Amino acid sequence: MKRNRIKIIGNILTFASVIFLVSSFRKMKIDLRIFADRRIFLSIFAGAVLVVVSLMISALAWKRTIAYFSEQNIFYLPAAKVYMQANLGKYIPGNMMHFIESPAKKCQ
């Protein structure tokens, strides 16, 4: 029961973080027509693919390390899911604080 509550709270916080990020980006008034330039779009797409591939390779390394020390066979997909969730849990709160802190500095 307690685990369910924690999962629900985590999902709510994740959803709130995404909403906050979207609203922050909307306030920046970024001109989305920039994506019409093929070179810029392909550069952003290539960067996103590289990030995903590097995360997948890091998840594989993490899975192999855990499998080595636990002396058990671990499947890649569940291990990668845990690795990705841990990364989100580690980086989203810090990155959110950067967005929250920026407007506060402007008001001083």
Side-chain angles (χ1 to χ4, degrees):
M1 189 68 159
K2 186 176 182 180
R3 190 174 184 172
N4 252 356
R5 288 183 193 162
I6 292 173
K7 189 170 185 170
I8 290 170
I9 291 170
N11 288 337
I12 290 170
L13 289 174
T14 301
F15 183 73
S17 298
V18 169
I19 295 296
F20 181 78
L21 285 174
V22 168
S23 70
S24 295
F25 279 115
R26 288 185 74 204
K27 289 177 186 173
M28 289 182 192
K29 297 182 180 172
I30 298 171
D31 186 9
L32 296 178
R33 289 179 291 183
I34 194 169
F35 293 114
D37 184 1
R38 181 175 278 169
R39 286 182 293 166
I40 292 175
F41 180 77
L42 289 177
S43 297
I44 292 170
F45 183 76
V49 168
L50 285 174
V51 167
V52 169
V53 169
S54 69
L55 279 171
M56 292 172 72
I57 291 170
S58 296
L60 179 63
W62 181 78
K63 175 203 96 70
R64 289 186 174 195
T65 303
I66 297 299
Y68 175 78
F69 286 114
S70 68
E71 298 178 352
Q72 294 180 4
N73 187 23
I74 299 173
F75 294 107
Y76 176 76
L77 288 179
K81 181 180 176 186
V82 170
Y83 183 79
M84 302 296 175
Q85 286 176 336
N87 271 295
L88 284 173
K90 182 170 52 172
Y91 291 116
I92 284 181
N95 291 340
M96 290 299 296
M97 290 304 129
H98 290 296
F99 277 110
I100 293 169
E101 184 179 81
S102 295
K105 283 185 178 179
K106 290 179 185 175
C107 293
Q108 294 178 353

